[in-house]
Amino acid sequence: MNFKNTEKLLNQKFADNDFDSYCVFVYAKGYERFIHSPNVNADTYFDIASMGKVLVTSPLILKAIGENKLSLDDTLAQFFDNTPKDKAFITIKQLLTHTSGIRRYDIPQEIADKGNDKVANFILHTSLAFEPGKSQEYSCNGMILLGYIIEKIYGKTLEEVFDEKIKTPLGYTRSKFNIEINEPNAAICYRTETLDGLSHPWDDENIRVLRTSAGSGGQFFTLNDINKYAKAIMNKSEALYPEKVFDLAEQNYIKDFGEGWGLGWLIVDGKYPQTGKLFPIGSFGHCGHTGTSLFFSREKGMYVIILTNATRCLNKKNDFKGYDYNKICEMRADIHNAIFDDLSESGLI
Protein backbone atom coordinates (compact mmCIF):
# COMPACT_ATOMS: atom_id res chain seq x y z
CA MET A 1 0.00 0.00 0.00
CA ASN A 2 1.21 3.48 -0.84
CA PHE A 3 1.93 5.73 2.14
CA LYS A 4 3.15 8.62 0.01
CA ASN A 5 1.59 11.40 2.12
CA THR A 6 3.00 10.08 5.39
CA GLU A 7 6.43 9.34 3.93
CA LYS A 8 6.64 12.76 2.28
CA LEU A 9 5.77 14.51 5.54
CA LEU A 10 8.21 12.47 7.63
CA ASN A 11 11.00 12.90 5.10
CA GLN A 12 10.43 16.66 5.06
CA LYS A 13 10.45 16.95 8.85
CA PHE A 14 13.58 14.81 8.97
CA ALA A 15 15.28 17.03 6.38
CA ASP A 16 14.22 20.12 8.33
CA ASN A 17 15.72 18.62 11.52
CA ASP A 18 12.37 18.71 13.31
CA PHE A 19 13.56 15.30 14.54
CA ASP A 20 16.62 13.21 13.69
CA SER A 21 15.18 9.85 14.77
CA TYR A 22 11.66 8.60 14.14
CA CYS A 23 9.50 5.58 13.54
CA VAL A 24 5.78 5.33 12.84
CA PHE A 25 3.72 2.15 12.95
CA VAL A 26 0.21 1.94 11.51
CA TYR A 27 -2.20 -0.93 12.10
CA ALA A 28 -5.56 -0.77 10.31
CA LYS A 29 -7.94 -3.71 9.92
CA GLY A 30 -5.11 -6.23 9.81
CA TYR A 31 -2.84 -4.16 7.58
CA GLU A 32 0.51 -3.09 9.07
CA ARG A 33 3.05 -0.51 7.95
CA PHE A 34 6.34 0.48 9.62
CA ILE A 35 8.07 3.69 8.49
CA HIS A 36 11.33 4.86 10.05
CA SER A 37 14.40 7.03 9.67
CA PRO A 38 17.63 5.39 8.41
CA ASN A 39 19.19 5.42 11.90
CA VAL A 40 16.26 3.61 13.57
CA ASN A 41 14.92 0.07 13.61
CA ALA A 42 12.13 -1.62 15.56
CA ASP A 43 14.49 -2.24 18.50
CA THR A 44 15.74 1.35 18.90
CA TYR A 45 15.23 2.81 22.36
CA PHE A 46 13.13 5.98 22.66
CA ASP A 47 12.53 7.97 25.82
CA ILE A 48 8.75 7.56 25.93
CA ALA A 49 8.23 10.29 28.57
CA SER A 50 4.59 10.36 29.74
CA MET A 51 3.62 7.40 27.57
CA GLY A 52 4.99 5.46 30.54
CA LYS A 53 1.77 6.38 32.33
CA VAL A 54 -0.16 4.01 30.02
CA LEU A 55 2.63 1.55 29.22
CA VAL A 56 3.64 0.96 32.84
CA THR A 57 1.66 2.66 35.61
CA SER A 58 -2.00 2.53 34.67
CA PRO A 59 -1.86 -1.05 33.29
CA LEU A 60 -0.25 -2.19 36.55
CA ILE A 61 -3.00 -0.45 38.53
CA LEU A 62 -5.60 -2.10 36.28
CA LYS A 63 -3.80 -5.42 36.72
CA ALA A 64 -4.08 -5.01 40.51
CA ILE A 65 -7.80 -4.24 40.13
CA GLY A 66 -8.23 -7.34 37.98
CA GLU A 67 -6.47 -9.38 40.69
CA ASN A 68 -8.76 -7.89 43.36
CA LYS A 69 -5.79 -6.34 45.13
CA LEU A 70 -7.11 -2.81 44.61
CA SER A 71 -10.36 -0.92 44.11
CA LEU A 72 -11.01 2.30 42.20
CA ASP A 73 -12.55 3.64 45.42
CA ASP A 74 -9.46 2.99 47.55
CA THR A 75 -8.05 6.22 48.95
CA LEU A 76 -4.65 7.75 49.56
CA ALA A 77 -5.09 7.47 53.32
CA GLN A 78 -5.16 3.67 52.94
CA PHE A 79 -1.61 3.67 51.58
CA PHE A 80 0.19 6.67 53.04
CA ASP A 81 0.56 7.50 56.73
CA ASN A 82 -0.28 11.03 57.86
CA THR A 83 -2.10 11.92 54.64
CA PRO A 84 -3.48 15.47 55.07
CA LYS A 85 -7.25 15.74 55.45
CA ASP A 86 -7.71 17.55 52.12
CA LYS A 87 -6.15 14.57 50.30
CA ALA A 88 -7.12 11.65 52.54
CA PHE A 89 -10.15 10.68 50.44
CA ILE A 90 -8.60 11.14 46.98
CA THR A 91 -9.35 7.90 45.15
CA ILE A 92 -7.45 5.70 42.74
CA LYS A 93 -10.04 6.63 40.13
CA GLN A 94 -9.40 10.35 40.63
CA LEU A 95 -5.65 9.83 40.25
CA LEU A 96 -6.15 7.86 37.02
CA THR A 97 -8.56 10.44 35.56
CA HIS A 98 -6.46 13.44 36.68
CA THR A 99 -9.29 14.80 38.81
CA SER A 100 -7.46 14.57 42.14
CA GLY A 101 -6.41 18.22 42.28
CA ILE A 102 -2.79 17.20 42.88
CA ARG A 103 -0.55 19.56 40.96
CA ARG A 104 2.80 18.89 39.35
CA TYR A 105 5.49 20.49 41.51
CA ASP A 106 9.20 20.09 40.94
CA ILE A 107 10.53 17.70 43.56
CA PRO A 108 13.52 19.18 45.43
CA GLN A 109 16.72 17.15 45.14
CA GLU A 110 17.17 17.07 48.91
CA ILE A 111 13.73 15.43 49.22
CA ALA A 112 14.33 12.93 46.43
CA ASP A 113 17.63 11.88 47.98
CA LYS A 114 15.77 10.71 51.11
CA GLY A 115 13.69 8.10 49.31
CA ASN A 116 10.16 7.36 48.12
CA ASP A 117 8.41 7.95 51.45
CA LYS A 118 9.78 11.48 51.66
CA VAL A 119 8.84 12.15 48.04
CA ALA A 120 5.29 10.91 48.66
CA ASN A 121 5.08 13.06 51.79
CA PHE A 122 6.25 16.11 49.79
CA ILE A 123 3.60 15.53 47.11
CA LEU A 124 0.89 14.97 49.72
CA HIS A 125 1.72 18.23 51.48
CA THR A 126 1.61 20.48 48.40
CA SER A 127 -1.51 22.59 47.87
CA LEU A 128 -4.32 21.26 45.69
CA ALA A 129 -5.35 22.97 42.46
CA PHE A 130 -9.03 22.30 43.28
CA GLU A 131 -11.26 20.17 45.48
CA PRO A 132 -10.84 16.51 44.41
CA GLY A 133 -13.38 15.47 41.80
CA LYS A 134 -14.49 19.03 41.00
CA SER A 135 -12.23 19.72 38.01
CA GLN A 136 -9.47 18.15 35.92
CA GLU A 137 -5.77 18.95 35.60
CA TYR A 138 -3.10 16.62 34.22
CA SER A 139 -0.94 15.48 37.12
CA CYS A 140 2.47 13.80 36.84
CA ASN A 141 2.81 13.87 40.63
CA GLY A 142 -0.46 12.01 41.06
CA MET A 143 0.91 9.28 38.80
CA ILE A 144 4.10 9.13 40.87
CA LEU A 145 1.89 8.32 43.86
CA LEU A 146 0.20 5.55 41.85
CA GLY A 147 3.64 4.08 41.18
CA TYR A 148 4.34 4.03 44.93
CA ILE A 149 0.96 2.39 45.57
CA ILE A 150 1.87 -0.38 43.11
CA GLU A 151 5.09 -0.96 45.06
CA LYS A 152 3.17 -1.14 48.34
CA ILE A 153 0.63 -3.61 46.93
CA TYR A 154 3.20 -6.02 45.53
CA GLY A 155 6.10 -5.42 47.90
CA LYS A 156 8.54 -4.90 45.01
CA THR A 157 10.00 -2.00 43.05
CA LEU A 158 7.91 -0.59 40.22
CA GLU A 159 10.32 -1.96 37.64
CA GLU A 160 10.26 -5.43 39.23
CA VAL A 161 6.45 -5.43 39.11
CA PHE A 162 6.54 -4.21 35.49
CA ASP A 163 8.96 -6.99 34.54
CA GLU A 164 6.81 -9.64 36.23
CA LYS A 165 3.33 -8.44 35.30
CA ILE A 166 3.78 -6.90 31.82
CA LYS A 167 7.24 -7.34 30.27
CA THR A 168 7.50 -11.11 30.72
CA PRO A 169 3.87 -12.07 29.93
CA LEU A 170 3.84 -9.96 26.75
CA GLY A 171 7.30 -11.09 25.65
CA TYR A 172 9.12 -7.76 25.58
CA THR A 173 12.77 -8.10 24.63
CA ARG A 174 14.39 -4.73 25.40
CA SER A 175 12.18 -2.09 27.01
CA LYS A 176 13.21 -1.08 30.53
CA PHE A 177 13.26 1.78 32.99
CA ASN A 178 16.79 3.12 32.59
CA ILE A 179 19.39 2.89 29.83
CA GLU A 180 23.03 3.87 29.92
CA ILE A 181 24.47 7.05 28.48
CA ASN A 182 25.63 6.24 24.93
CA GLU A 183 23.49 3.08 24.95
CA PRO A 184 23.74 1.36 21.56
CA ASN A 185 20.74 1.72 19.27
CA ALA A 186 19.04 4.52 21.23
CA ALA A 187 17.54 7.77 19.98
CA ILE A 188 19.39 10.63 21.65
CA CYS A 189 17.59 12.46 24.46
CA TYR A 190 17.23 16.15 23.65
CA ARG A 191 19.24 17.22 26.70
CA THR A 192 22.10 14.74 26.47
CA GLU A 193 24.47 17.73 26.28
CA THR A 194 23.32 18.86 29.73
CA LEU A 195 23.28 15.64 31.73
CA ASP A 196 25.15 17.33 34.59
CA GLY A 197 26.67 14.14 35.95
CA LEU A 198 23.54 11.97 35.61
CA SER A 199 24.11 8.27 35.05
CA HIS A 200 21.21 7.85 32.58
CA PRO A 201 19.87 10.14 29.80
CA TRP A 202 16.44 10.99 31.24
CA ASP A 203 14.44 13.85 29.77
CA ASP A 204 11.89 14.74 32.47
CA GLU A 205 13.07 17.06 35.26
CA ASN A 206 11.43 15.14 38.12
CA ILE A 207 12.78 11.83 36.78
CA ARG A 208 16.27 13.36 36.76
CA VAL A 209 15.82 14.35 40.38
CA LEU A 210 14.43 10.94 41.39
CA ARG A 211 17.32 9.24 39.54
CA THR A 212 15.02 6.58 38.10
CA SER A 213 11.95 6.29 35.90
CA ALA A 214 8.78 6.47 37.99
CA GLY A 215 5.00 6.26 37.90
CA SER A 216 4.90 9.48 35.89
CA GLY A 217 6.89 7.90 33.03
CA GLY A 218 10.34 8.36 31.56
CA GLN A 219 11.03 4.74 30.60
CA PHE A 220 12.86 3.60 27.46
CA PHE A 221 10.80 1.51 25.03
CA THR A 222 11.15 0.10 21.55
CA LEU A 223 8.64 -0.02 18.73
CA ASN A 224 8.65 -3.82 18.83
CA ASP A 225 7.65 -3.92 22.49
CA ILE A 226 5.06 -1.13 22.24
CA ASN A 227 3.54 -3.02 19.31
CA LYS A 228 3.18 -6.13 21.49
CA TYR A 229 1.37 -4.04 24.08
CA ALA A 230 -0.83 -2.42 21.41
CA LYS A 231 -1.89 -5.83 20.09
CA ALA A 232 -2.69 -6.95 23.64
CA ILE A 233 -4.90 -3.87 24.05
CA MET A 234 -6.65 -4.43 20.72
CA ASN A 235 -7.23 -8.11 21.52
CA LYS A 236 -8.25 -7.41 25.13
CA SER A 237 -5.67 -9.95 26.16
CA GLU A 238 -6.04 -11.44 29.62
CA ALA A 239 -2.24 -11.42 29.79
CA LEU A 240 -2.84 -7.79 30.78
CA TYR A 241 -6.09 -7.96 32.78
CA PRO A 242 -9.67 -9.31 32.51
CA GLU A 243 -11.85 -8.16 29.60
CA LYS A 244 -14.22 -6.29 31.94
CA VAL A 245 -11.29 -4.10 33.03
CA PHE A 246 -10.62 -3.01 29.42
CA ASP A 247 -14.21 -1.84 29.12
CA LEU A 248 -13.95 -0.01 32.44
CA ALA A 249 -10.69 1.71 31.49
CA GLU A 250 -11.77 3.00 28.09
CA GLN A 251 -14.85 4.97 29.21
CA ASN A 252 -14.79 8.78 29.29
CA TYR A 253 -15.24 9.82 32.92
CA ILE A 254 -14.84 13.55 32.20
CA LYS A 255 -18.01 14.85 30.63
CA ASP A 256 -18.41 18.33 32.11
CA PHE A 257 -14.92 19.76 32.50
CA GLY A 258 -11.45 19.45 31.01
CA GLU A 259 -10.18 16.89 28.53
CA GLY A 260 -11.75 13.47 28.18
CA TRP A 261 -10.08 10.86 30.40
CA GLY A 262 -10.58 7.18 31.04
CA LEU A 263 -8.59 5.18 33.59
CA GLY A 264 -5.16 6.41 32.54
CA TRP A 265 -6.20 6.88 28.90
CA LEU A 266 -6.79 10.23 27.25
CA ILE A 267 -10.14 9.94 25.47
CA VAL A 268 -10.64 11.65 22.10
CA ASP A 269 -13.75 13.74 22.73
CA GLY A 270 -13.99 16.30 19.92
CA LYS A 271 -11.94 18.85 21.86
CA TYR A 272 -8.59 17.12 21.38
CA PRO A 273 -6.67 18.27 18.25
CA GLN A 274 -3.53 16.10 18.20
CA THR A 275 -5.13 13.04 16.62
CA GLY A 276 -6.30 15.16 13.66
CA LYS A 277 -8.84 13.59 11.32
CA LEU A 278 -7.63 10.06 11.96
CA PHE A 279 -9.16 9.07 15.30
CA PRO A 280 -12.91 9.50 15.89
CA ILE A 281 -14.60 10.45 19.15
CA GLY A 282 -14.28 7.57 21.59
CA SER A 283 -10.73 6.70 20.54
CA PHE A 284 -8.14 6.60 23.30
CA GLY A 285 -4.39 6.89 23.81
CA HIS A 286 -1.63 8.98 25.32
CA CYS A 287 1.25 11.25 24.34
CA GLY A 288 4.82 11.68 25.56
CA HIS A 289 6.50 15.06 25.85
CA THR A 290 9.55 13.91 23.88
CA GLY A 291 7.44 13.65 20.71
CA THR A 292 5.80 10.25 21.07
CA SER A 293 2.23 8.93 21.09
CA LEU A 294 0.03 5.85 20.94
CA PHE A 295 -3.66 5.98 19.98
CA PHE A 296 -6.37 3.36 19.35
CA SER A 297 -9.75 3.24 17.65
CA ARG A 298 -11.78 0.11 18.31
CA GLU A 299 -14.44 1.43 15.95
CA LYS A 300 -11.99 1.49 13.03
CA GLY A 301 -9.85 -1.46 14.15
CA MET A 302 -6.80 0.76 14.15
CA TYR A 303 -3.86 1.99 16.20
CA VAL A 304 -0.89 4.24 15.46
CA ILE A 305 2.46 4.47 17.26
CA ILE A 306 4.63 7.57 16.78
CA LEU A 307 8.15 7.67 18.24
CA THR A 308 10.41 10.69 17.70
CA ASN A 309 12.98 12.80 19.53
CA ALA A 310 11.38 16.03 18.34
CA THR A 311 11.79 17.99 21.57
CA ARG A 312 15.55 17.50 21.44
CA CYS A 313 15.80 18.74 17.86
CA LEU A 314 13.55 21.76 18.38
CA ASN A 315 15.56 22.71 21.45
CA LYS A 316 18.84 22.15 19.61
CA LYS A 317 17.72 24.56 16.87
CA ASN A 318 17.45 27.18 19.62
CA ASP A 319 20.89 26.44 21.12
CA PHE A 320 19.16 24.52 23.94
CA LYS A 321 17.44 27.66 25.21
CA GLY A 322 13.95 26.16 24.98
CA TYR A 323 11.31 25.36 22.38
CA ASP A 324 7.62 25.74 21.62
CA TYR A 325 5.86 22.53 22.66
CA ASN A 326 2.88 23.51 20.51
CA LYS A 327 5.02 22.53 17.52
CA ILE A 328 5.18 18.97 18.89
CA CYS A 329 1.39 18.94 19.18
CA GLU A 330 1.05 20.23 15.62
CA MET A 331 3.53 17.57 14.45
CA ARG A 332 1.33 14.79 15.86
CA ALA A 333 -1.75 16.23 14.19
CA ASP A 334 0.11 16.54 10.86
CA ILE A 335 1.33 12.93 11.00
CA HIS A 336 -2.09 11.59 11.94
CA ASN A 337 -3.70 13.62 9.12
CA ALA A 338 -1.19 12.29 6.57
CA ILE A 339 -1.94 8.73 7.70
CA PHE A 340 -5.67 9.47 7.37
CA ASP A 341 -5.16 10.63 3.77
CA ASP A 342 -3.17 7.51 2.90
CA LEU A 343 -5.63 5.12 4.53
CA SER A 344 -8.55 6.93 2.87
CA GLU A 345 -6.97 6.67 -0.57
CA SER A 346 -6.45 2.94 0.01
CA GLY A 347 -9.99 2.34 1.26
CA LEU A 348 -8.87 1.20 4.72
CA ILE A 349 -10.72 3.91 6.59
Side-chain angles (χ1 to χ4, degrees):
M1 189 178 98
N2 194 330
F3 260 68
K4 62 180 181 181
N5 295 296
T6 306
E7 291 178 347
K8 180 180 178 181
L9 175 66
L10 292 171
N11 287 336
Q12 186 61 59
K13 289 186 175 295
F14 185 74
D16 292 342
N17 292 316
D18 289 343
F19 37 67
D20 62 26
S21 301
Y22 72 82
C23 60
V24 172
F25 187 89
V26 180
Y27 175 92
K29 296 179 180 177
Y31 176 86
E32 298 182 351
R33 183 63 179 268
F34 177 41
I35 307 168
H36 58 92
S37 56
N39 59 335
V40 165
N41 60 37
D43 284 323
T44 300
Y45 282 119
F46 282 84
D47 182 341
I48 58 168
S50 284
M51 275 176 66
K53 292 178 173 69
V54 296
L55 289 172
V56 176
T57 310
S58 63
L60 287 176
I61 289 289
L62 295 171
K63 170 79 79 172
I65 290 170
E67 293 176 349
N68 296 316
K69 293 180 179 292
L70 188 68
S71 163
L72 287 175
D73 296 323
D74 286 345
T75 64
L76 289 179
Q78 293 174 238
F79 298 99
F80 300 101
D81 295 335
N82 303 315
T83 302
K85 289 183 179 179
D86 63 337
K87 303 177 187 72
F89 297 102
I90 288 174
T91 65
I92 298 297
K93 181 179 178 181
Q94 288 170 338
L95 292 170
L96 286 170
T97 57
H98 299 277
T99 57
S100 70
I102 293 175
R103 290 187 171 107
R104 177 191 168 114
Y105 285 94
D106 289 341
I107 299 166
Q109 189 66 65
E110 61 270 21
I111 297 294
D113 290 344
K114 294 177 181 178
N116 292 357
D117 288 344
K118 293 296 184 183
V119 172
N121 188 65
F122 170 79
I123 294 172
L124 290 170
H125 284 82
T126 54
S127 62
L128 291 173
F130 49 83
E131 182 182 345
K134 298 298 184 183
S135 188
Q136 181 264 321
E137 181 178 307
Y138 185 74
S139 175
C140 290
N141 288 14
M143 296 299 290
I144 290 174
L145 291 180
L146 283 176
Y148 293 157
I149 288 171
I150 291 165
E151 293 182 337
K152 290 174 181 290
I153 290 171
Y154 290 103
K156 301 177 181 180
T157 68
L158 185 61
E159 184 167 17
E160 288 171 340
V161 183
F162 165 72
D163 287 351
E164 177 185 328
K165 299 290 185 178
I166 297 179
K167 183 175 180 176
T168 298
L170 295 188
Y172 295 177
T173 57
R174 274 169 61 81
S175 298
K176 55 186 178 180
F177 274 36
N178 305 311
I179 65 172
E180 300 302 317
I181 295 169
N182 299 321
E183 181 94 24
N185 198 14
I188 300 174
C189 167
Y190 87 92
R191 288 198 300 168
T192 297
E193 287 81 352
T194 57
L195 284 172
D196 299 326
L198 293 177
S199 57
H200 304 284
W202 300 295
D203 172 60
D204 181 84
E205 198 62 44
N206 272 342
I207 298 301
R208 287 175 169 233
V209 169
L210 293 171
R211 295 293 198 266
T212 185
S213 301
S216 57
Q219 294 82 13
F220 296 87
F221 270 62
T222 68
L223 185 282
N224 263 339
D225 290 342
I226 296 174
N227 196 27
K228 291 174 183 177
Y229 176 75
K231 291 186 184 305
I233 293 291
M234 288 298 290
N235 295 329
K236 296 187 177 182
S237 170
E238 295 213 357
L240 276 174
Y241 31 78
E243 183 171 346
K244 64 180 181 181
V245 179
F246 287 91
D247 300 335
L248 195 67
E250 296 164 21
Q251 299 178 42
N252 185 4
Y253 294 93
I254 311 299
K255 301 274 175 80
D256 301 320
F257 48 77
E259 295 177 323
W261 282 92
L263 302 180
W265 294 113
L266 190 151
I267 306 295
V268 177
D269 60 357
K271 297 178 286 186
Y272 186 73
Q274 295 186 51
T275 48
K277 300 178 290 184
L278 184 58
F279 286 93
I281 290 173
S283 302
F284 58 95
H286 210 286
C287 295
H289 197 87
T290 44
T292 61
S293 65
L294 169 64
F295 280 91
F296 298 85
S297 170
R298 293 205 182 277
E299 174 188 337
K300 294 185 177 295
M302 174 180 66
Y303 64 84
V304 172
I305 304 165
I306 298 173
L307 301 176
T308 79
N309 63 345
T311 46
R312 166 184 166 78
C313 292
L314 288 179
N315 205 19
K316 188 177 181 181
K317 284 183 178 182
N318 196 30
D319 296 323
F320 292 95
K321 295 176 183 176
Y323 59 92
D324 181 1
Y325 185 67
N326 287 326
K327 293 187 180 299
I328 307 295
C329 302
E330 293 167 2
M331 172 203 76
R332 290 193 190 97
D334 290 343
I335 294 172
H336 285 132
N337 284 335
I339 294 169
F340 175 86
D341 291 339
D342 288 325
L343 291 177
S344 295
E345 290 173 12
S346 301
L348 284 172
I349 195 170

